[in-house]
């Protein structure tokens, strides 16, 4: 990747050129900060390189160093008189002046944004608070420090005596070693001139000494950061003056001399990599900087010019920071004074008075009635006045009994709670509605943020059904990353994307953290739920596990303020998500061809090239950019691929020019074509000239789905979307005519619309509800989705197929409401448009849709020290694979991943902000019937890369090290492996038996249809008893077993739940269940619903019951798997018999041990009997 000089930034609005003494790229916006020799800092923005804010730093001396962060810009003058922090708009936040000595340098803390390190001439190190600028700690230094730099683990200092030293980041003190003392090394004889680090290497440049005079050291010194052992230096004969490490290539250095020679060096491949040299045409370089992604190099010189090297100089401008970040803060321009033509006859009243848009204090009239500033004094009750005695003008009386407890109390109106709980559902008015009619200027309730309230029964008690009376499920909000709910709903109801996600989970994806797999699991949950609330906990957790997500700032840490800009965040996540889907779903060169185009066929009818990734076929915009030089007319074509369309709004035009069309179709077309002009150096004529750029996209090359980021970053952008007298901006269908490739002499690209228009239909819009007072840089806190549901277009009980998904609140709306933008409170974020009539032509035949049932028969573990003697399960054989109605018993154990967040108020009350978060640690699934009834076929511990707060050993049986691959002796698998098996069991129609399964399935983040769940906590429940019984008490009373004495075991719990279910059927067959249930509650009240202590425990009454026993497995039996095999053939297509680890041919015999009964014939009708028993249980309950 080579660099090329682009148009420099020259001095602007200055009479004389001022040398540039310091440079820094902004990490969060398209800004380059430059400090000059007169002590001022200026901001240069975007492609135009216009100078923005301009503020002084110190006492008029040159700016020595600039450090730009996400919210602040810190700078200090060369004199060292102080260090200050300014906002991006130029407002000073704080300024620190050292009391005793001047400052020499500073550096920001890498892991603690609340502190920074400052060095003084004393010599000493100071730690400052970045919020207030006040000193926190003072530490002595052995010599005067001139350079400070933070590596990934240590603080590195360069001193005036030429020593490099390493310090502990946590204490900012020198690292001490009993044998060698401080970690230091003599790097240069005359002092340090610059240093940087990458990984375990630190690079320095400095001064040498020749004839007692300092000279530039012509070697770049390299040291091992761990021991400060010197390595082979790199020669640079021109004399290194500035050094920077490339942020994307840690082994690459950018070294520059004061005369403009720039050398890009690959330290690890000096002999093989070709050298990269660049010459900056200047007399003297005074500063340098490298952009956050390494795409730009900036060099300031003594003439006040900033020279820029770029990796892509000739295409459309790419932001300095590498992505579309925070909006630029421009300085407030003073309002110009009005011009008045003055003459001797001009009346004085033509000057006018100031206009005020708010009432003045002097406008208050005393004649108007005034509201009292305080409430009148309460009247003394007559009971008190009649008994009052007056002594020295003070009245005394005894308080009557009827008034006791009512003094000094303020009785306010009852405040209705937003939270609705199922526990008090009977006391509520059934006619209540979560929405009401409001004033048009206010945000309707359906768009407002709805929070989950927590009762003493937890989040499961919240009545989600009150907010959703439709057949379409919402998503809960109490998890981190739930701001993606609106986009997840959009993807779910985009049918091609739904098919692709469901297909991906059937493949053998080897990624532990796969976003496309998690999307497929969310899609399956929403399909099965049918109006019941779901949560995307695993999807959001996967986002935080991806390293790229942290770089793109799309991780929700739960620390965002109330005015967090979620609109920009969700648009960034939209781009990140599609790029992630491309890498995860790409099976090149074996990708299925979903979209078939005639232009990709050769003369023989075969495809020319393999198909790209499926996401690229659905969303990819393969465009050709035409760039024509305005000076020489040279034309250059460049291919480009994009998956997200960024809206591009027209600029303001002078009053004498015709304004461009401002309808949605025209603006969308401009966003696709991106017709623009900019100043850059032509590669042909080598002149700085205007370059005209335009993208060419034939109509037939437009993708089936357009993902559009609205990019509404100002009030001017929002004005295009707001409804007016002409009608709505957004329409249900839009015709797009991208331009064709037509160019004229003279270098002007002529835009000719394609005669063939492509019609797109709006399918979904993610938007934000903001303050009704306008955008003001669009700080918003809540996102909703308005979606046109495909199923509702065909069959719906409502008139409109449009629905609003406000997290877990779902409501049907009209098309007019969905597409209108009545006020500034409704701000668009993301639009998904689907090409009309293309959905029917998409070919899904190549997508894998056959689920692999063999995963239930494969043994897998990532534990390196697994003890085979601890394996308690046996995987399913081919003939044991489940069919619809197969009974399985399940139980799971969990560990605590995050404590709950509770807000304590001044009145002593508390409110839960976010509940505790648990993670799956172990899951056990047992055979529910057949010869091996009660034998586990899944017993897996779950590996997690997150930190565990509490193992909850007393209730989970999980101990430290059980979930670590290096120390676990159990079967250990990633979460996705176990989840796929449970997902397959649900899809196969298995009936799950367990105790308290609702909470288990909720924590696992899987939805199981209610008709596939038998919960013993509901089987043995008496409504008049008003409490549900624990598994431990039920096992003691009904089964005569004492369980959970020391800790919990998921196999034991699942087996007891299965036996309780069998006992239930035994009682039902004898018509004594109701009698036994009443006896159960009667004995439970006697023992406080807890098993007695073992030493004094009486015999449980149930021992006299005729209980069914778990059928032991046979020693050998005859297997006839023909019916099972036929079912699998029907469900999964061609299934080879040898695909299973323990498959046996029909009629084969095998031994299972002496404790199993003999002569068992496998009966295919067993599943039918299970279904009949299950239906009878449902009708009984």
């Amino acid at each position: 990747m080579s660099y090329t000089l682009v148009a420099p930034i020259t001095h602007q609005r200055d009479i004389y050129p001022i040398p540039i003494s310091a440079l820094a790229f902004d990490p969060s916006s398209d800004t380059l900060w430059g400090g000059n020799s007169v002590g001022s800092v200026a901001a240069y923005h975007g492609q135009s390189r216009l100078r923005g804010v301009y503020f002084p730093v110190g006492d008029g001396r040159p700016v020595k160093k600039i450090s730009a962060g996400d919210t602040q810009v810190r700078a200090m003058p060369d004199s060292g008189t102080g260090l200050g922090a300014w906002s991006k708009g130029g407002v000073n936040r704080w300024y620190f002046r050292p009391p005793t000595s001047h400052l020499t340098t500073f550096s920001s803390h890498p892991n603690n944004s609340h502190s920074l390190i400052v060095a003084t001439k004393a010599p000493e190190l100071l730690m400052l608070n970045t919020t207030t600028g006040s000193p926190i700690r003072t530490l002595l230094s052995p010599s005067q420090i001139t350079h400070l730099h933070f590596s990934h683990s240590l603080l590195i200092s360069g001193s005036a005596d030429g020593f490099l030293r390493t310090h502990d980041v946590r204490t900012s003190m020198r690292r001490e070693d009993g044998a060698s003392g401080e970690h230091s090394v003599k790097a240069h004889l005359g002092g340090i001139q610059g240093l940087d680090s990458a990984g375990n290497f630190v690079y320095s440049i400095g001064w040498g000494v020749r004839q007692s005079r300092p000279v530039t050291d012509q070697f770049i010194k390299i040291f091992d950061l761990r021991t400060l052992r010197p390595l082979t230096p790199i020669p640079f004969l021109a004399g290194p003056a500035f050094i920077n490490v490339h942020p994307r290539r840690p082994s690459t250095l950018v070294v520059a001399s004061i005369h403009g020679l720039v050398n890009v060096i690959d330290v690890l491949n000096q002999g093989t990599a070709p050298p990269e040299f660049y010459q900056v045409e200047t007399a003297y370089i005074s500063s340098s900087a490298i952009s956050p992604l390494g795409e730009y190099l900036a060099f300031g010189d003594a003439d006040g010019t900033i020279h820029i090297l770029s990796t892509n100089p000739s295409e459309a401008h790419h932001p300095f920071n590498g992505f579309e970040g925070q909006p630029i803060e421009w300085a407030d321009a003073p309002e110009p004074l009005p011009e008045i033509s003055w003459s001797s006859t001009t009346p004085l009243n033509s000057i006018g008075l100031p206009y005020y848009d708010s009432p003045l204090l002097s406008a208050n009239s005393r004649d108007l009635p005034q509201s009292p500033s305080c409430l009148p004094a309460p009247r003394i009750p007559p009971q008190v006045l009649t008994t009052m005695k007056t002594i020295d003008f003070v009245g005394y009386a005894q308080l009557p009994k009827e008034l006791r407890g009512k003094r000094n109390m303020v009785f306010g109106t009852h405040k209705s709670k937003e939270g609705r709980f199922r526990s008090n559902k009977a006391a509520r008015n059934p006619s209540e509605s979560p929405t009401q009619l409001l004033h048009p200027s206010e945000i309707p309730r359906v768009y407002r943020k709805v929070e989950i309230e927590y009762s003493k029964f937890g989040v499961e008690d919240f009545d989600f059904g009150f907010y959703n009376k439709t057949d379409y499920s919402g998503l809960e909000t109490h998890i981190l990353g739930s701001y993606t709910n609106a986009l997840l709903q959009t993807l779910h109801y985009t049918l091609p994307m739904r098919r692709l996600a469901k297909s991906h989970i059937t493949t053998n994806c080897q990624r532990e953290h796969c976003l496309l797999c998690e999307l497929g699991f969310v899609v399956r949950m929403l399909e099965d739920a049918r109006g019941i609330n779901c949560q995307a906990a695993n999807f959001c957790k996967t986002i935080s596990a991806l390293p790229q997500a942290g770089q793109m700032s799309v991780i929700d840490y739960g620390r965002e303020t109330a005015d967090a800009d979620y609109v920009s965040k969700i648009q960034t996540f939209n781009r990140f998500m599609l790029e992630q889907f491309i890498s995860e779903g790409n099976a090149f060169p074996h990708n299925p061809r979903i979209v078939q185009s005639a232009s990709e066929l050769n003369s023989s009818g075969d495809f020319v090239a393999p198909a790209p990734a499926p996401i690229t076929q659905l969303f990819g915009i393969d465009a050709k950019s035409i760039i024509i030089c305005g000076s020489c007319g040279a034309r250059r074509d460049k291919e480009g691929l994009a998956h997200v369309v960024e809206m591009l709004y027209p600029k303001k035009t002078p009053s004498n020019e015709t304004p461009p069309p401002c309808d949605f179709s025209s603006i969308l077309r401009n966003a696709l074509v991106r017709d623009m002009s900019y100043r850059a150096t032509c590669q042909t004529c080598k002149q700085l000239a205007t370059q005209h750029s335009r993208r060419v996209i034939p109509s037939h090359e437009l993708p089936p789905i357009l993902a559009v980021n609205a990019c509404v970053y100002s009030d001017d952008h929002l004005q295009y979307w707001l409804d007016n007298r002409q009608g709505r901006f957004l329409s249900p269908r839009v015709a797009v005519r991208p331009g064709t490739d037509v160019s004229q002499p003279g270098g002007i690209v002529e835009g000719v619309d394609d005669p063939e228009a492509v019609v797109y239909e709006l399918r979904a819009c993610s938007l934000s509800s903001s303050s009704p007072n306008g955008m003001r840089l669009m700080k918003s806190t809540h996102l909703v989705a308005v979606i046109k549901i495909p199923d509702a277009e065909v069959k719906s009980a409502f008139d409109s197929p449009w629905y609003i998904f406000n997290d877990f609140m779902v409501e049907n709306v009209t098309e007019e409401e969905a597409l209108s933008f009545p006020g500034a409170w409704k701000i668009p974020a993301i639009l998904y448009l689907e090409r009309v009539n293309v959905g029917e032509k998409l070919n899904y035949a190549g997508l894998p849709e056959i689920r692999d049932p063999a995963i239930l028969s494969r043994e897998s573990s990532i534990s390196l020290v697994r003890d085979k003697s601890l394996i308690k399960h046996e995987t399913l054989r081919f003939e044991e694979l489940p069919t619809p109605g197969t009974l399985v018993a399940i139980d799971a154990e969990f560990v605590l991943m995050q404590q709950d967040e509770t807000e304590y108020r001044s009145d002593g009350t508390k409110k839960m902000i976010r509940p505790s978060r648990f993670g799956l640690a172990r899951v056990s699934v047992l055979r529910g019937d057949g010869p091996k009834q009660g034998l586990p076929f899944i017993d897996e511990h779950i590996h997690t890369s997150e930190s565990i707060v509490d193992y909850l050993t007393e209730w989970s049986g999980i101990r430290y090290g059980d979930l670590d691959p290096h120390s676990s002796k159990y079967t250990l698998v990633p979460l996705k492996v176990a989840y796929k098996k449970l997902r397959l069991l649900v899809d196969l129609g298995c009936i799950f038996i367990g105790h308290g399964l609702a909470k288990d399935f909720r924590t696992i983040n899987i939805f199981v249809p209610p008709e596939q769940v038998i919960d013993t906590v509901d089987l043995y429940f008496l409504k008049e008893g008003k409490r549900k019984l624990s598994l431990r008490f039920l096992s003691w009373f009904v089964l005569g077993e004492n369980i959970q004495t020391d800790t919990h075991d998921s196999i034991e719990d699942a087996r007891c739940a299965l036996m309780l279910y069998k006992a239930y059927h035994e009682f039902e067959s004898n018509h004594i269940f109701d009698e036994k249930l009443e006896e159960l509650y009667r004995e439970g009240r006697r023992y406080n619903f807890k098993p007695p202590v073992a030493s004094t425990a009486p015999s449980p009454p149930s021992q006299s019951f005729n209980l069914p026993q778990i059928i032991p497995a046979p020693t050998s039996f005859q297997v006839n798997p023909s019916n099972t095999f036929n079912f699998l053939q029907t469900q999964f297509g061609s299934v080879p018999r040898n695909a299973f680890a323990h498959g046996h041919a029909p009629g084969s015999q095998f031994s299972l041990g002496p404790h199993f009964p003999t002569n068992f014939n496998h009966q295919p009708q067993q599943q039918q009997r299970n279904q009949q028993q299950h239906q009878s249980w449902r009708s009984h309950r």
Side-chain angles (χ1 to χ4, degrees), residues 139 174 177 246 419 518 575 610 777 946 1022:
L139 301 169
R174 301 189 308 277
D177 187 42
H246 197 286
E518 297 301 335
R575 294 190 296 268
L777 296 179
E946 296 183 82
L1022 188 64

Side-chain angles (χ1 to χ4, degrees), residues 306-473:
I306 301 176
H307 304 269
I308 297 179
L309 295 174
S310 174
T311 56
N312 296 308
S314 55
E315 65 175 4
H317 173 70
H318 193 66
F320 285 141
N321 58 326
F323 60 94
E324 191 167 353
Q326 299 177 357
I328 296 173
E329 294 187 23
W330 296 94
D332 296 333
E335 186 176 357
L337 297 175
E339 296 183 2
I340 301 176
S341 300
W342 189 263
S343 65
S344 58
T345 59
T346 303
L348 294 178
N349 60 2
S350 63
I351 299 177
L353 294 175
Y355 172 74
Y356 301 97
D357 56 358
S358 59
L360 301 178
L361 183 62
S362 59
N364 245 344
S365 175
R366 295 185 178 180
D367 299 332
L368 298 177
Q370 301 293 324
S371 60
S373 58
C374 60
L375 296 176
R379 297 182 60 183
I380 301 176
Q383 302 96 310
V384 178
L385 292 176
T386 55
T387 60
M388 182 178 293
K389 296 180 181 180
T390 304
I391 302 175
D392 294 337
F393 306 102
V394 179
Y396 297 90
Q398 187 176 5
L399 183 67
K401 293 182 179 180
E402 61 269 18
L403 296 180
R404 291 180 182 177
K406 299 182 179 180
R407 300 175 67 238
N408 304 326
M409 295 179 63
V410 178
F411 298 93
T413 58
H414 175 70
K415 182 179 179 182
S416 61
K417 296 182 64 177
E418 286 293 331
R420 270 81 175 176
F421 303 107
R422 290 186 288 183
S423 55
N424 63 354
K425 190 173 183 179
R428 295 204 313 260
N429 184 3
S431 62
E432 284 184 300
S433 174
T435 60
Q436 63 181 17
L437 295 177
L438 300 173
H439 192 271
S441 61
E442 300 182 17
I443 303 177
R445 187 176 296 272
V446 71
Y447 290 94
R448 295 181 183 178
K449 186 175 183 178
V450 184
E451 296 184 356
I452 300 176
E453 297 287 340
Y454 305 97
S455 70
K456 62 181 179 180
F457 302 107
V459 68
E460 292 83 2
D461 188 40
F462 188 75
D463 188 9
F464 292 98
F466 177 79
Y467 297 92
N468 183 10
K469 296 179 173 58
T470 69
D471 294 333
Y472 308 104
S473 300

Side-chain angles (χ1 to χ4, degrees), residues 887-1006:
L887 294 179
V888 295
I890 185 172
D891 191 72
E893 307 295 348
F894 306 94
V895 292
L896 183 63
M897 311 301 294
Q898 184 177 358
Q899 296 280 5
D900 58 352
E901 299 178 18
T902 306
E903 177 187 81
Y904 289 88
R905 298 166 179 166
S906 58
D907 59 354
T909 61
K910 61 181 181 179
K911 177 185 178 182
M912 184 179 291
I913 305 300
R914 185 175 287 111
S916 302
R917 182 167 63 88
F918 296 88
L920 181 63
R922 181 187 180 187
V923 60
S924 300
V925 185
L926 283 63
R927 297 166 174 87
D929 49 23
K932 297 183 181 181
Q933 180 177 264
L935 180 65
F937 63 91
I938 295 177
D939 181 33
E940 297 172 340
H941 287 63
I942 310 303
H943 167 66
T944 178
S945 57
E946 296 183 82
S947 59
I948 299 175
V949 176
D950 192 350
Y951 285 89
L952 305 175
T953 304
E954 183 180 354
W955 298 277
S956 67
I958 305 299
R959 302 182 184 276
Y960 177 80
D962 289 352
L963 307 182
D964 188 350
H966 300 281
S967 59
S968 177
K969 298 180 180 180
Y970 303 98
T971 301
L972 189 67
V973 298
L975 173 62
K976 192 173 75 171
V977 174
Y979 192 96
K980 271 193 170 184
K981 295 181 180 180
L982 297 180
R983 181 73 259 173
L984 180 60
L985 292 176
V986 175
D987 294 339
L988 289 176
C990 294
I991 298 176
F992 293 85
I993 302 171
H995 192 83
L997 292 181
K999 193 169 185 178
D1000 288 358
F1001 288 148
R1002 178 184 181 85
T1003 308
I1004 297 173
N1005 195 21
I1006 189 171

